[in-house]
Structure formats: C-alpha cells, structure tokens
Amino acid sequence: MADSTQSNNSALYFIVGALLVAVIGFGIWFFAGQPSANGGDNGADLSISVDENGMSVDTPDE
C-alpha cells in the first residue's frame, strides 16, 4: 500500500514540476522577446516628436 501512495506522489510531483518549468520557460521566452521602451533600434516605422515648434511625425523613406 505504501508503494502505491509513494508512486502516486512522485508522479504528482513530476507533473507539478514539469508545469512549473513550462510556465517559467514561457515567461522568459515571452518577456525576453519584448522590445525595450527606451533602448536600441527596435525597427519602429513611425517616430513622433513634440517640441516648442510643434509636433512632427517622421516615417522611414521607402
């Protein structure tokens, strides 16, 4: 009887651990793929700037 309970618990621990690894892995993959708000060239197609002369919108030359 003890062997059955121990194998059920180990299977449950394995499933919970695998789900935990999957969730952490997905979180790292998802958030690492997001571009930063203030750094690097993120390939933006539109640039908006506002200064004392007004607002300007720049698009890349094609």
Side-chain angles (χ1 to χ4, degrees), residues 33-54:
Q34 301 297 319
S36 64
N38 59 357
D41 179 24
N42 59 2
D45 292 335
L46 182 67
S47 173
I48 301 173
S49 60
V50 178
D51 58 11
E52 57 273 350
N53 296 328

Side-chain angles (χ1 to χ4, degrees), residues 1-57:
M1 177 102 177
D3 292 334
S4 176
T5 304
Q6 186 176 5
S7 68
N8 287 340
N9 283 341
S10 62
L12 181 63
Y13 289 141
F14 177 77
I15 292 170
V16 170
L19 287 174
L20 187 63
V21 168
V23 167
I24 290 171
F26 178 75
I28 291 171
W29 172 79
F30 181 77
F31 287 112
Q34 301 297 319
S36 64
N38 59 357
D41 179 24
N42 59 2
D45 292 335
L46 182 67
S47 173
I48 301 173
S49 60
V50 178
D51 58 11
E52 57 273 350
N53 296 328
M55 182 171 76
S56 66
V57 178

Side-chain angles (χ1 to χ4, degrees), residues 45 58-62:
D45 292 335
D58 297 323
T59 58
D61 294 332
E62 300 212 19

